[in-house]
Amino acid sequence: MYSGLRIPFQSMGSAQQQMDTISNNLSNAETAGFKSRQATFSEMMYQQEDNMPMPENGTGRLTPPGIRTGGGAAIGQTALRMEQGSLKESERELDFALEDTDAFFQVEAEDGAVEYTKDGQLYLSENPAVPGSYTLVDQNGGFVLNEAGGRFDIPAGASEFSMQENGELTAVTAAGDTVNLGAFGVVQVERPQALTSIGGNRYRFEDLDGLGAAEDDMVIEADPSSVKQGMVEQSNVDLSNELVNMMNAQRQYSFNSRALTQGDQMLGLINSIR
């Protein structure tokens, strides 16, 4: 394809992907625990054109022989930004926030796999594995796991949930007794960039074989005392920065669109010559 069309066409696609990433960040600016992503660009391969068939004519030349034509820019990666969001106080006993930047709650997915989330807005739900008891779920209905890797076992009618200094969660039963429910299964993700977003503010490891690693190598146990009750971690989206990036991406898209139009007009002019 003619480079005057190929390069701006490729760059327009990259700018569109960047705008999609920014749009996703902006739409989740109010989502608890959301981690933004940042698109970075990389140059595509150069095409070397040999325009010097007689090397002896290049005596004294200071630059490499030939002409190198760039191939435009492409999205190199969309990196997950792990900066801590601000912690906002709430009035709910079942709101929890993580103070450690790389710490995540573990959630049991529908297929039984373990997924990870920063969203600590939890709710009580009946535990189908133990009829008559309740457990903690996230906003999408996923079962939050305790330090033993299982679901919380909460007696029916329990209330007055309280987080102890050692990270243990307690509650008061309908009979007035205080019971220890255990600690959250908080883990620290060693390589957050290997996480794949699957929607619902959750992440999982999907291509560990390609990385030559096991999931146990990617996570380690974190201190459950880092969980703070009655607080919600806000998203780490910087609205002003995202809006500036959006305007720059739109400008880049517009420039390349204009270059594509001009290249098409030039080809039309050439084809019209008799």
Side-chain angles (χ1 to χ4, degrees):
M1 183 186 293
Y2 173 53
S3 61
L5 299 180
R6 173 174 50 82
I7 294 176
F9 177 78
Q10 173 66 38
S11 298
M12 286 173 63
S14 301
Q16 181 63 60
Q17 293 180 48
Q18 183 187 23
M19 287 190 288
D20 292 342
T21 301
I22 296 171
S23 298
N24 184 63
N25 290 340
L26 292 174
S27 63
N28 286 282
E30 299 299 325
T31 302
F34 177 79
K35 297 302 176 184
S36 62
R37 286 188 175 271
Q38 181 178 8
T40 56
F41 292 89
S42 60
E43 287 184 311
M44 300 189 68
M45 294 181 63
Y46 283 90
Q47 181 179 358
Q48 178 75 23
E49 299 178 8
D50 186 8
N51 66 341
M52 187 179 294
M54 302 177 66
E56 61 272 14
N57 293 335
T59 303
R61 184 185 180 109
L62 299 179
T63 58
I67 299 176
R68 294 176 179 173
T69 304
I75 294 291
Q77 67 170 343
T78 53
L80 187 66
R81 303 301 300 264
M82 292 301 299
E83 292 86 352
Q84 181 82 4
S86 60
L87 301 184
K88 181 180 179 180
E89 292 187 4
S90 68
E91 298 180 357
R92 292 188 68 243
E93 294 179 348
L94 296 180
D95 280 347
F96 303 93
L98 295 166
E99 285 190 321
D100 292 342
T101 302
D102 295 332
F104 287 81
F105 294 106
Q106 297 184 89
V107 179
E108 179 185 336
E110 294 181 358
D111 60 359
V114 177
E115 296 175 348
Y116 306 92
T117 183
K118 280 281 193 177
D119 187 1
Q121 294 178 306
L122 308 182
Y123 302 88
L124 286 175
S125 178
E126 291 187 13
N127 187 356
V130 184
S133 68
Y134 288 76
T135 188
L136 294 176
V137 297
D138 65 1
Q139 297 193 69
N140 300 299
F143 299 105
V144 179
L145 302 181
N146 57 26
E147 59 184 346
R151 304 173 185 176
F152 282 91
D153 187 8
I154 303 174
S159 60
E160 299 183 29
F161 295 90
S162 178
M163 179 67 67
Q164 307 303 309
E165 292 184 0
N166 61 355
E168 299 284 342
L169 184 64
T170 63
V172 177
T173 66
D177 299 324
T178 299
V179 293
N180 190 342
L181 304 177
F184 286 98
V186 181
V187 295
Q188 180 178 338
V189 177
E190 295 289 278
R191 297 174 63 180
Q193 300 306 326
L195 290 171
T196 299
S197 176
I198 59 171
N201 211 5
R202 291 194 206 166
Y203 306 88
R204 69 160 63 185
F205 295 106
E206 289 193 334
D207 190 24
L208 291 179
D209 292 338
L211 297 174
E215 188 161 349
D216 291 340
D217 299 328
M218 293 293 187
V219 297
I220 59 175
E221 293 184 5
D223 185 2
S225 63
S226 65
V227 181
K228 301 302 177 184
Q229 186 180 24
M231 307 190 77
V232 175
E233 181 183 354
Q234 304 298 293
S235 74
N236 65 351
V237 176
D238 186 337
L239 287 176
S240 59
N241 185 60
E242 296 295 336
L243 291 174
V244 170
N245 290 339
M246 174 66 79
M247 289 187 291
N248 290 334
Q250 290 175 334
R251 188 176 296 113
Q252 177 187 353
Y253 188 93
S254 176
F255 287 162
N256 283 283
S257 176
R258 191 177 307 170
L260 184 65
T261 301
Q262 291 176 349
D264 181 63
Q265 292 174 349
M266 291 174 63
L267 287 178
L269 179 61
I270 294 173
N271 291 331
S272 65
I273 297 177
R274 294 293 186 268

